[in-house]
Amino acid sequence: MNKFFKLLGFDPAKHSVKVEMMAGLTTFLTISYILAVNPQILGDTGMDKGALFSATVVSAALATLVMAFYAKLPFALASGMGLNAFFAYTLVLTLGYTWQEALAAVFFEGILFIILTIFRVREAIVNAIPLNLRNSITVGIGLFIAYIGLKNGGLIVASKDMLTMQGPWTVSSVLALAGIVLGAVLMAAKVKGALFFSIIIITVVGIPFGMTPLPDDFSLMSMPHSMAPIALQLDFSAFLSFDINYYIALFALLFMDLFDTLGTLIGTSTSAGMVDSKTGRIHGLNRALMADAIGTTFGALCGTNTVTTYVESTTGVIEGGRTGLTAFTVALLFLVSLFFSPLFLVIPPAATTSAMVLVGVLMMKSITKIDFSDFTEAVPCFMMILTMPFTGSISDGIVLGMLSYVMVKVCTGRYQEISVVMYVLSAFFMLKYVAEFFN
């Protein structure tokens, strides 16, 4: 494993097989909530929830294995949050397409991404993004992760006009706050696996308080659910009928996945130190994008929504994960989870709050690399950082940041600082908003 995953190229005092596997375990625990959430969301379309659980696991495992052995990077992939909501509540429940037709859209998206990756179009897009904006993506994602953690832990709630502190306090919110403090103390003491231990401790402490409920018929193991009710059920009729609304929805799906993935890879790679200090290029980016594209295509065949790289991978990176061995560990744990589906319903959202908030803190370091002395750089970066957590969308934050970057540069006569790719991207962004306006 040392030779294949090239661990020998790292400092042996900080990187080892044990460290990589602990990082994979931490990433898996942080990402495992998708195994419970995804079947619930997609199940609203009428899809079989047991089959959805298996499809979510199998597609995540295969995509993460591609990341491990082909890209050799420490990132985990699974059915995307936000993308699953678009699948269920927009494509199916709002626009009226069947879930079979929605799966066909995901399949087309995956094929298009494979083609774009082969010709390195997606990599060119990333490399065309200015360094200040890339650092802003890292900061914005950090705030977004922390926001999700605080919300899941019950520390903040949505009122009519704004987000407010939880009141009155609940067991969940108290333990979530305790987890943040515990995780911070362990990290300050430089305890290896700090985030992992904070998740486990809060989960165990939550049992007597009813936050970690154990049903009377609780069983750790169960046989895997068959994927037959949803696998290979793609319906291409909407695509072949030249339905303009379907094409717009397909474009929106493509767009959301493209920039959610790019934003995640930029953020996690920066945190992992996998960015060339001179060129700003991400090591192994095209291979990582291919893993994402293959995962999406395979996931559609299994019967689930778009598979994408998860920002929660940063938790494993912070724990020392730097190679594909971390991803390989995550993939193995996904496969094992097929037989332990009841177990993953036990870990409460509040237990993962500490990991998500502390990862947000660490990702904030990139804000020191942003040039705020130049307003043509500062304003677009601020827009990007601000809108990611406020809109609850990484892709929306990237779009608004990039559009404002091009507009401010052009209006101040500094258009020569903008690459051709950035101009092309801005044109596509404008078309997206125009399409949404007339839809």
Side-chain angles (χ1 to χ4, degrees):
M1 285 191 288
N2 276 325
K3 183 176 181 180
F4 181 81
F5 290 111
K6 299 181 179 179
L7 266 68
L8 300 177
F10 294 97
D11 181 356
K14 296 180 180 179
H15 299 95
S16 65
V17 170
K18 181 181 178 180
V19 169
E20 292 282 325
M21 296 184 74
M22 180 64 79
L25 179 58
T26 302
T27 296
F28 176 76
L29 285 175
T30 311
I31 201 177
S32 61
Y33 69 87
I34 192 63
L35 301 182
V37 175
N38 204 53
Q40 292 175 2
I41 292 177
L42 297 190
D44 289 342
T45 67
M47 301 173 76
D48 182 271
K49 291 186 178 180
L52 280 169
F53 177 86
S54 294
T56 303
V57 170
V58 172
S59 59
L62 180 129
T64 307
L65 283 173
V66 175
M67 183 69 78
F69 289 106
Y70 179 63
K72 297 184 180 180
L73 292 173
F75 307 139
L77 299 91
S79 300
M81 288 293 292
L83 291 161
N84 51 13
F86 181 82
F87 180 104
Y89 304 121
T90 299
L91 278 174
V92 178
L93 298 180
T94 300
L95 296 178
Y97 297 107
T98 65
W99 58 263
Q100 293 90 339
E101 291 171 328
L103 285 176
V106 175
F107 178 77
F108 277 120
E109 175 204 347
I111 296 298
L112 285 173
F113 272 173
I114 289 176
I115 295 172
L116 292 175
T117 304
I118 290 174
F119 290 99
R120 295 185 174 271
V121 174
R122 296 173 81 186
E123 184 177 17
I125 291 172
V126 176
N127 291 330
I129 300 173
L131 284 175
N132 277 323
L133 287 182
R134 292 196 216 178
N135 287 318
S136 299
I137 291 173
T138 304
V139 176
I141 290 176
L143 289 176
F144 179 66
I145 293 173
Y147 157 72
I148 295 297
L150 291 172
K151 187 161 67 75
N152 288 347
L155 286 167
I156 57 175
V157 295
S159 64
K160 181 179 179 181
D161 299 312
M162 65 185 69
L163 290 169
T164 61
M165 288 289 293
Q166 169 72 47
W169 284 67
T170 64
V171 172
S172 175
S173 57
V174 170
L175 288 180
L177 181 59
I180 295 172
V181 175
L182 174 62
V185 170
L186 293 176
M187 291 188 71
K190 301 187 184 302
V191 175
K192 284 292 183 182
L195 299 180
F196 162 69
F197 289 125
S198 66
I199 292 172
I200 295 301
I201 292 171
I202 296 301
T203 297
V204 173
V205 171
I207 294 176
F209 293 99
M211 190 192 75
T212 309
L214 297 176
D216 295 334
D217 60 346
F218 178 75
S219 174
L220 288 178
M221 296 187 66
S222 67
M223 292 301 295
H225 299 279
S226 171
M227 295 190 299
I230 59 175
L232 303 177
Q233 299 293 320
L234 287 68
D235 182 355
F236 299 100
S237 58
F239 184 84
L240 297 175
S241 66
F242 299 101
D243 183 344
I244 186 62
N245 288 328
Y246 187 80
Y247 291 145
I248 292 174
L250 176 58
F251 172 78
L253 190 64
L254 185 79
F255 171 83
M256 289 173 63
D257 185 27
L258 173 62
F259 285 97
D260 274 1
T261 301
L262 293 183
T264 299
L265 286 174
I266 290 172
T268 51
S269 296
T270 302
S271 297
M274 295 177 180
V275 179
D276 189 291
S277 58
K278 295 181 180 179
T279 65
R281 296 184 175 230
I282 298 172
H283 303 302
L285 174 61
N286 208 57
R287 290 173 178 259
L289 292 172
M290 181 59 77
D292 181 87
I294 292 173
T296 293
T297 307
F298 182 75
L301 296 175
C302 289
T304 187
N305 63 292
T306 302
V307 173
T308 187
T309 307
Y310 258 63
V311 292
E312 286 84 353
S313 300
T314 313
T315 59
V317 169
I318 297 304
E319 291 296 336
R322 292 294 183 273
T323 74
L325 181 54
T326 296
F328 178 61
T329 303
V330 176
L332 288 182
L333 291 170
F334 269 128
L335 292 175
V336 170
S337 70
L338 277 173
F339 300 92
F340 291 88
S341 56
L343 177 63
F344 298 101
L345 300 178
V346 172
I347 297 175
T352 61
T353 294
S354 59
M356 300 180 81
V357 170
L358 293 173
V359 164
V361 173
L362 292 167
M363 294 182 75
M364 279 294 293
K365 291 189 297 184
S366 293
I367 202 168
T368 60
K369 302 175 183 178
I370 301 173
D371 182 10
F372 282 104
S373 63
D374 183 349
F375 257 69
T376 66
E377 300 281 339
V379 172
C381 290
F382 181 74
M383 287 291 294
M384 186 176 286
I385 294 170
L386 191 70
T387 52
M388 280 191 195
F390 283 179
T391 63
S393 170
I394 294 173
S395 58
D396 282 347
I398 292 174
V399 168
L400 290 173
M402 289 188 175
L403 278 176
S404 59
Y405 182 88
V406 172
M407 291 177 180
V408 171
K409 289 289 186 181
V410 169
C411 291
T412 54
R414 295 169 62 175
Y415 53 86
Q416 72 277 5
E417 298 178 18
I418 306 171
S419 66
V420 174
V421 174
M422 284 289 287
Y423 279 119
V424 173
L425 286 175
S426 297
F428 275 113
F429 297 156
M430 294 305 298
L431 287 175
K432 171 186 177 290
Y433 286 121
V434 169
E436 288 178 351
F437 178 79
F438 288 104
N439 185 23

